[in-house]
Structures are given as structure tokens and as C-alpha cells.
Amino acid sequence: AGPRLRAGVYRLWNTDPGPFAAGQDPLYLTMPVLLSVADAGTHLVFHDNSWDGYVTLRDGVEGQGSGHDRPGRCEVRMSGGPLRYWVLVGAPARVLHGWTALTGAPALPPRWALGHQHARWGFGSAREVRRVADGYRKRGLPLRALHLDIDHLRGHRVFTVDRERFPDLPGLAAELRGRGVRLVSIVDPGVKAEPGFGVYDSGASADVFVRDGRGRQVRGEVWPGTSVFPDFTDPRARKWWGGLYAERLAQGFAGVWHDMNEPVSFSAFGDPTLPLSARHALEGRGGDHREAHNVYALTMAKAGYAGLTELQPERRPFLFSRSGWAGMQRYGGTWSGDVRTGWEGLRASLALVVGLGLCGVPYSGPDVGGFDGAPSPELYLRWFQLGAYLPLFRTHAAKWAGRREPWEFGAEVLEHARAALAERERLLPYLVTLAQLAHRTGAPYVRPVWWQHPLDRALRDCEDAFLLGDALLVAPVLGPAVRGRAVRLPSGRWYDTATGAAYEGPGTVRVPAPLSRIPVLARAGAAVPVAGDGGATELEVWPPAPGRTGSGLVIPDPGEGWERPEAERFTVRLSGRGADGRPGVAVEREDGRPVGYPVRVRG
């Protein structure tokens, strides 16, 4: 619906809507979090209740002061549970910092998970996976991960492999890793209710599946057929489930994505989930699915994260989930789910990422190109260009929806996609820094343009651009046949990173947006860590305006372990004049030590 929610009614109930368009509600993931930004200040309200509910919003009016303002209204009606709220007040950055302190620090993705990833429901064999990986390599396109969907499993059974189509999955994983490409596996919660199937037998023996009021296993229909569902609100079930990821690691997978975990049970009528009367442990208190439903995916993520941490204590887990609830950032990120192919789906993709960041989930992204249809070359390219600046940069589609490799859309799209991929690789040191910053402070990678200027009403109305960290303003193209667009600037000087042209904010400027790129502007005074020609980090510096100074931050890549690297802070100022008569630029490390990186001045 957009990061600025309109007046209306919204449901708090995780569901699988199928391929969705803008404005559809509810979706896969519920965040009972209201962030209010107004002239009077910013505050966050957390409705700490996991039951089904409805939120009714009414817009307020901000006039010129007393007698001209009308307060907005937020009414929440829950079907049960506690009346319990948490309220945080302050500047947006302070509010998100407090939210992280309350609900947990975001998990740190490994560096490779900040690069481009390719997925498809329809990788039918090891041969097809190799074909796609070879296509990227032969064309010189960077690729960091390939994702295997349910078609690599034996009859869609979780924690299995179809040996006919993937006869040597560990060998395939090792081969790809040698090229710098990881494999990521889908994991669904539904376990085929089949005596003799090891996962079912061990779970039944441990009595970890959801039961009804008469003590019978609750069964539903999902991809493997008739299935049962672990009760992740039971610590015993989480411990059992976490141990099962050893099979995924043995197959060579470097990460997992949780799907179908709203949870989904196919239904010809009614709500496609477990019966509301299904019984859950709820951490020993006991209760039913009305209370457990919205936290089912959260507790599944907790089980997976704990299991992977125990199995590989030297390595941070990589996990993201389709569904979730408040605090899910502790275990990883999320993605859009099955966003519909079309320009509306592209616009919804941006809204979702911005909104999730304001709810404390900084690592997210869409299915680039949309999930269910065949995008035009222009739509695919504009989606790809947007994805290159979002935290999770992943192409993905259904098996009936056509290809998503960049070379499938013609030579022109391929070259422009190559440029977007090269820029993503160049920005990896910056993205690593933003990931570390999110982990430490709760500040999202992707921020609304009003992030540092919440009193600017015009910026609060801007939903078609975003800040990537503090340094870059990204203005994606969200409609067809657009070759230039208006950009609303926060205060200060901004440089077009492609042309070097300088613009002064606050105000609206018109910038070129050729098919080859989307507008990206750099804040004057920014020192941005980027990868140089040899791959080593260097500082890309944009001169401050006269009389102003700037700053930069570098948090080095800690590898895949748990090391906490030192934050390196820099100041940027004008200093004298060079031989060409232009002002010189001085970059200094705040602790007085040598800068330690090559410096390249732009603009």
C-alpha cells in the first residue's frame, strides 16, 4: 500500500495471497508496528499481540498550528490476547535504535548474500543449474548464489534430494563454490505424513507435530501431499527441527530460505492455514492456533537459526523467510513473496522494502521481474536496476513465468543489466558497512528520503525514491517509457553520480533517466567505501559545499564468522586549491591514524 499508509482497514494475519498486486491485504508477513511521523515529532507504537486483528487508520491534517490541525487516528481491534503496547519516541534513527534494543539486533548476512542471487521455481536438474551458472560466467556477469526451489526435492519432501535429477548435489555445490557461487535451499515446514519417511518418523517419535484438541496430529495438504506441521512454539520441536539442517549442510548448501510458513495448508474454501482450534505449546503456556499463527514463521526461523549456529558455530547462518512477525530480524530477512509481474508489482516492491526497514527488518528485496508473468524487456530492466540498490538482490519466478536471466531479454537489456551488476559489485563495501550499521543501531539500509528531515512535509509525501544509507539517494524508474524524472531532494547539495552535475536541495529537480541507468545522487561531503579496480576498498569522495564538511564510515568485512570489526570514521573538508584552481579536498580519519584507503574524488 506504500510506506505512507492511506486511510483504510488493514488485517493483522499472515496469509498466502498468491501472486499479489499493489494494495492487496493481508500479505505473508504481519508487523503490528505503527510509525508516526509528523510536525510534532516521531513515535513508534508496537501492538504486542499476536492474535488476529484489524487496524483502522484515518489520516490527520497538518495545518498551520492550533485550530487548523486534525489528529490522525489508529484503531486496533484484536480477537483476543493481551492489551500490551510499547511506545518509543524521538528522531527516526533513535526510534529504530530503541526498537532494535527491544526486539533484537538484525542478523548479519555474509558478504556473498549482498551480491546478486538467482532463483527459479523450475530448476529441474543439475544440468539446468549448470547451464544458468555457465551463462553468467561466459558473459562475465557476477553471480553470488543460486537458489533451489521445491523441484530439487524427492517428491517435494523436505530435507531430501531427487537423486535422479541431482545425482551428486554435494559435488555440484563444491563445483559452483569454486567459481564463487553458493547454493541456497528452500525449506518448507510441512512434513509428508508418510510412515517410513525418516523426517516424519523421527518427528512422530519425538511428538513434535501440532495436534488437535483430541490429541490427533493435525494434517493439511501442501506440496508433498498430506502433511503434518512441527509446533515451533515448543522448544523441543525447535531443537529437533534445528538438527535436521545437518542434511542441508551435508548437501553443500550455504543458506536457506523458509517458504510456506504462514503456515499454508491448501484449502478449497476458508482460510488456507491450520484449523484455529489446533493446539500449540506456546512456550509451555498452551493455547491454540489463533494465538500461534502469526508467530509460527518467527519461531520456525528461530529453530533454523539456532540449528545452523549449533551445527556450524564458526559461521554466521544465512536465512530469510517469507513470513514472520516482530523481531524476525534476529534470525535473518525476508522477501516480497509472489509479487505480481507488472509495473504495479515493481512499485509495490519498493514500498515493501521501505516499510519493512521501518519495522526493523533491514534485509529484504523482491522477486526481480515479478513472480508470475513474463515482463517486457523494459519492465525487467527497470526492476533489475532497482534491485541492484536493494539489500536482497534476487531474480526469481514461477516455472510457468518464463526466464529471468538477463541475456533472455536481448542485447541492449543485457548490457544495461551488466552495468547494474557491476555497480552492485562496486558498492559491496558500502553494503557491508550498512549491514554492520543495521546490526549495531537498527538503521535500515534502505531509508525513506525524510529519514534525516522528518519535518519536511514534501519529503514525507515522497514514495518513489529512497536513501541507501546516508550517502546515496536512489530514484528508480517505476513506469514505462520514462527517460527523465523529477526527484525531491532533501536539504544540501547533491551530485548526479553519472554526470557529476550538482543540485541544491531542498527542492525538486529534473534529472535524466536513460534506459541505461536510474538516477542515483550522492550527498555532498560523503565518503563512500567502494571496490576499486582490483577489488580492494577505496573511498569515493564527493566534495562538500563551501563552508560545509562531510563524513564517511567504513566497517570492514568480518568474513563469515562472528568477529566485530572496528568502525572507521572519516571527515571530509575543503582544503586550499589544486593546480587546476579547484578547491582541494582533505580526508582525515577521526582517530588521527592514516586514512588507510586510496581516495578518489568525484564531482
Side-chain angles (χ1 to χ4, degrees):
R4 179 165 183 169
L5 290 178
R6 272 41 181 193
V9 180
Y10 302 89
R11 189 181 181 192
L12 300 174
W13 188 251
N14 293 346
T15 194
D16 178 5
F20 68 89
Q24 195 163 334
D25 178 79
L27 298 182
Y28 305 95
L29 190 154
T30 291
M31 282 291 179
V33 178
L34 175 74
L35 184 70
S36 178
V37 184
D39 289 353
T42 300
H43 69 271
L44 179 150
V45 180
F46 171 34
H47 304 276
D48 191 359
N49 182 325
S50 67
W51 289 60
D52 190 8
Y54 289 87
V55 179
T56 302
L57 295 179
R58 189 187 74 194
D59 288 336
V61 174
E62 292 178 300
Q64 301 303 314
S66 178
H68 298 276
D69 297 331
R70 187 182 74 227
R73 181 179 179 86
C74 173
E75 181 181 282
V76 182
R77 291 181 177 268
M78 308 300 290
S79 61
L83 182 66
R84 183 170 57 220
Y85 296 87
W86 302 80
V87 182
L88 297 93
V89 180
R94 182 180 178 86
V95 166
L96 266 293
H97 195 185
W99 176 241
T100 298
L102 179 67
T103 59
L108 274 169
R111 182 188 178 101
W112 60 263
L114 296 170
H116 180 237
Q117 305 177 54
H118 188 96
R120 185 168 186 259
W121 179 18
F123 282 151
S125 66
R127 179 180 179 182
E128 173 67 3
V129 171
R130 285 191 176 94
R131 186 192 73 81
V132 172
D134 287 345
Y136 276 92
R137 180 174 56 85
K138 290 175 181 176
R139 293 168 177 84
L141 303 175
L143 178 67
R144 298 293 181 138
L146 282 166
H147 296 220
L148 301 191
D149 211 314
I150 55 174
D151 42 322
H152 86 280
L153 304 173
R154 179 172 58 86
H156 297 160
R157 296 169 181 83
V158 68
F159 298 117
T160 67
V161 175
D162 185 328
R163 300 293 181 186
E164 291 186 5
R165 291 182 293 166
F166 292 86
D168 182 15
L169 191 50
L172 175 63
E175 173 189 328
L176 292 174
R177 185 171 291 220
R179 305 184 197 173
V181 179
R182 269 73 169 181
L183 282 184
V184 175
S185 170
I186 193 170
V187 174
D188 289 353
V191 175
K192 186 173 178 64
E194 179 183 58
F197 172 38
V199 176
Y200 173 75
D201 288 345
S202 67
S205 176
D207 189 21
V208 295
F209 297 127
V210 175
R211 293 184 176 273
D212 63 18
R214 298 172 63 182
R216 301 171 300 185
Q217 291 176 353
V218 171
R219 301 196 172 195
E221 294 294 321
V222 282
W223 298 117
T226 302
S227 300
V228 292
F229 300 82
D231 180 9
F232 295 114
T233 72
D234 186 339
R236 296 184 309 108
R238 292 198 295 269
K239 180 71 173 176
W240 166 79
W241 184 263
L244 298 177
Y245 289 80
E247 182 273 342
R248 295 287 87 182
L249 297 178
Q251 299 296 341
F253 288 108
V256 296
W257 53 298
H258 288 174
D259 203 357
M260 304 291 289
N261 55 346
E262 288 69 28
V264 176
S265 175
F266 300 145
S267 173
F269 57 91
D271 200 359
T273 190
L274 305 188
L276 299 183
S277 60
R279 304 299 298 173
H280 291 266
L282 288 166
E283 312 304 327
R285 291 185 295 106
D288 60 34
H289 197 66
R290 293 175 300 169
E291 182 177 2
H293 176 85
N294 278 341
V295 295
Y296 189 84
L298 172 72
T299 50
M300 180 184 179
K302 182 176 184 177
Y305 191 86
L308 289 167
T309 300
E310 185 172 329
L311 291 164
Q312 290 189 144
E314 75 288 349
R315 183 175 299 168
R316 301 193 309 274
F318 175 61
L319 183 156
F320 64 104
S321 170
R322 188 170 79 174
S323 188
W325 200 69
M328 64 178 293
Q329 71 275 0
R330 296 191 297 270
Y331 313 117
T334 184
W335 88 103
S336 64
D338 301 343
V339 62
R340 187 168 297 166
T341 298
W343 292 100
E344 272 197 1
L346 171 58
R347 291 189 287 271
S349 297
L350 175 57
L352 283 164
V353 174
V354 175
L356 283 161
L358 295 176
C359 294
V361 185
Y363 183 83
S364 69
D367 286 346
V368 168
F371 178 77
D372 67 328
S376 68
E378 182 184 20
L379 173 60
Y380 173 83
L381 177 61
R382 292 309 198 186
W383 217 322
F384 199 89
Q385 290 168 332
L386 168 63
Y389 293 95
L390 299 180
L392 172 58
F393 181 20
R394 184 179 84 141
T395 51
H396 184 229
K399 55 187 175 182
W400 61 79
R403 313 300 309 188
R404 290 292 185 270
E405 296 81 28
W407 56 88
E408 297 288 347
F409 295 87
E412 185 179 20
V413 169
L414 173 60
E415 288 312 300
H416 298 334
R418 183 192 309 278
L421 285 169
E423 183 63 6
R424 176 68 172 213
E425 288 289 305
R426 201 178 71 89
L427 288 174
L428 279 179
Y430 186 50
L431 291 163
V432 167
T433 294
L434 294 180
Q436 288 278 346
L437 199 62
H439 177 68
R440 299 178 190 199
T441 71
Y445 314 20
V446 167
R447 307 167 187 178
V449 290
W450 48 256
W451 179 255
Q452 291 184 332
H453 303 278
L455 297 183
D456 186 328
R457 293 184 183 180
L459 289 180
R460 295 205 297 259
D461 286 333
C462 179
E463 298 181 290
D464 62 354
F466 62 92
L467 296 174
L468 182 61
D470 285 337
L472 300 179
L473 191 159
V474 182
V477 172
L478 304 175
V482 173
R483 300 297 181 264
R485 57 154 292 174
V487 179
R488 179 73 189 185
L489 297 178
S491 64
R493 177 174 292 179
W494 295 83
Y495 296 94
D496 186 319
T497 58
T499 67
Y503 303 96
E504 299 295 332
T508 299
V509 298
R510 187 158 188 87
V511 297
L515 195 60
S516 59
R517 59 180 172 84
I518 58 176
V520 178
L521 295 99
R523 188 188 303 273
V528 184
V530 299
D533 293 339
T537 299
E538 64 183 34
L539 294 180
E540 182 172 86
V541 175
W542 298 87
R548 299 298 185 100
T549 60
S551 63
L553 176 70
V554 179
I555 305 180
D557 179 20
E560 297 189 16
W562 300 90
E563 179 187 353
R564 182 181 172 91
E566 176 188 358
E568 304 167 3
R569 302 181 184 278
F570 302 89
T571 58
V572 181
R573 58 182 174 83
L574 298 180
S575 176
R577 291 190 176 273
D580 58 2
R582 296 184 180 182
V585 177
V587 179
E588 298 165 331
R589 188 160 156 160
E590 285 190 355
D591 60 12
R593 288 190 279 176
V595 169
Y597 299 100
V599 172
R600 187 184 304 273
V601 179
R602 298 283 307 278

